[in-house]
Amino acid sequence: MHKNLLLLSVLIFVKSSLAAKFPDDIPKCKAADLKCLPEVITNVIKMVPNGHRGLHLIPIDPLHINEIKITQERESPVNINLVLSNTDIIGLRNVVVTRVKGFEKDPTNVVFEAEAKLKQIALLGHYKIDGRVLILPIQGNGKSNLTLDNLTFKLKFKTTQTYKNSKVYIQTKDFLFNFDTTRLYISFENLFNGDKALSDNMNRFLNENWKDILDELKPAITDAFSQIFNSIINTIFSKIAYSDIYLD
């Protein structure tokens, strides 16, 4: 079954190639220190939920997404057109990085990996949906809440290298993201033009069948988060030399 997602607008952009000094208030580890790095990355994320000018990092909690479009084609049991707009992703400040691999002094031919866990993350915003979920038609337009419990995820990528002022700068390539969760909670207000009985029954049905629905939507959700994290990483590394993120 084919899944198609278009992430139209994420407020994360690589706007300039101007180099920047690594900020003094951000701690460092030695290259390839696989014990220090998870701890430092976790602590930095907790430190800067509102963004960090020196890291060229936008606010990440909440992380605002203008629009996500998810389209499932007709052969899918979840055959929907779903648009999430003006959505805030809430909870990223609580991420705990549990494992990293790679992050060596020379990034050439290195595979970078990071594993993390998050107790809960919520996507709050506006939705518009039309189609069919499993055996039932669905239609609506209003506020939405998609909440995932006990999220675990893994990032994996290689890099390309460029040189500026005799220093190496990297960008990701072959970027992969995947995740698992123990529960997805779904709330769509104002389904069926505000018919409360139909809306309540559909929300109950969605939550009773959350696992089947997530199995169908997971590739699209994975693509969305992959684009988000890839953009964040590349924005930072476009400004700061790779060698500058480590202790000498």
Side-chain angles (χ1 to χ4, degrees):
M1 288 171 286
H2 176 71
K3 284 85 176 174
N4 177 38
L5 174 141
L6 175 60
L7 183 61
L8 285 182
S9 183
V10 180
L11 295 182
I12 307 166
F13 301 102
V14 179
K15 291 185 176 180
S16 166
S17 61
L18 295 177
K21 180 178 177 292
F22 192 88
D24 294 332
D25 60 333
I26 300 297
K28 294 183 178 183
C29 297
K30 292 182 179 180
D33 187 337
L34 305 186
K35 181 178 185 300
C36 174
L37 283 162
E39 296 174 358
V40 165
I41 296 170
T42 297
N43 290 333
V44 168
I45 293 171
K46 290 184 185 299
M47 286 169 50
V48 297
N50 297 318
H52 192 287
R53 184 178 296 273
L55 284 177
H56 302 272
L57 180 67
I58 67 164
I60 59 170
D61 196 359
L63 177 63
H64 185 76
I65 309 296
N66 282 352
E67 188 172 77
I68 301 172
K69 287 186 176 180
I70 299 174
T71 299
Q72 302 291 100
E73 292 191 349
R74 291 183 179 179
E75 68 269 21
S76 171
V78 181
N79 173 21
I80 59 170
N81 291 311
L82 172 63
V83 178
L84 302 176
S85 57
N86 292 320
T87 296
D88 287 327
I89 301 177
I90 297 172
L92 285 175
R93 73 178 69 196
N94 298 316
V95 70
V96 176
V97 180
T98 56
R99 174 183 173 270
V100 298
K101 181 180 177 181
F103 294 87
E104 298 172 13
K105 189 170 184 179
D106 181 358
T108 308
N109 299 322
V110 172
V111 177
F112 293 74
E113 295 182 17
E115 296 178 9
K117 61 183 180 180
L118 193 55
K119 186 173 182 180
Q120 187 176 82
I121 191 170
L123 287 76
L124 307 179
H126 190 277
Y127 81 95
K128 184 175 182 180
I129 193 170
D130 182 63
R132 183 175 294 272
V133 176
L134 303 180
I135 60 173
L136 298 177
I138 185 170
Q139 179 272 327
N141 188 340
K143 292 182 180 180
S144 59
N145 180 343
L146 304 177
T147 296
L148 298 96
D149 281 353
N150 302 313
L151 191 71
T152 58
F153 58 90
K154 181 176 180 179
L155 306 174
K156 184 176 181 180
F157 59 90
K158 297 179 182 177
T159 66
T160 59
Q161 295 85 42
T162 58
Y163 289 86
K164 306 175 200 173
N165 302 319
S166 301
K167 290 188 174 182
V168 175
Y169 289 75
I170 66 170
Q171 291 285 276
T172 64
K173 69 174 183 178
D174 302 330
F175 191 92
L176 298 174
F177 171 88
N178 58 64
F179 77 94
D180 285 301
T181 182
T182 61
R183 187 67 163 90
L184 168 63
Y185 296 94
I186 304 169
S187 175
F188 292 134
E189 294 185 10
N190 198 49
L191 286 168
F192 307 106
N193 296 315
D195 186 312
K196 187 175 187 309
L198 287 177
S199 183
D200 289 349
N201 286 334
M202 175 54 74
N203 275 295
R204 188 178 303 111
F205 176 81
L206 295 174
N207 283 284
E208 288 174 352
N209 295 277
W210 71 270
K211 194 172 188 311
D212 292 331
I213 293 166
L214 181 61
D215 286 345
E216 291 299 315
L217 295 182
K218 191 173 182 179
I221 296 172
T222 297
D223 284 347
F225 277 98
S226 178
Q227 292 182 54
I228 291 166
F229 288 119
N230 196 24
S231 296
I232 291 173
I233 292 168
N234 280 330
T235 298
I236 294 171
F237 282 132
S238 71
K239 307 287 186 177
I240 297 173
Y242 179 75
S243 60
D244 288 349
I245 70 175
Y246 300 120
L247 291 171
D248 292 338

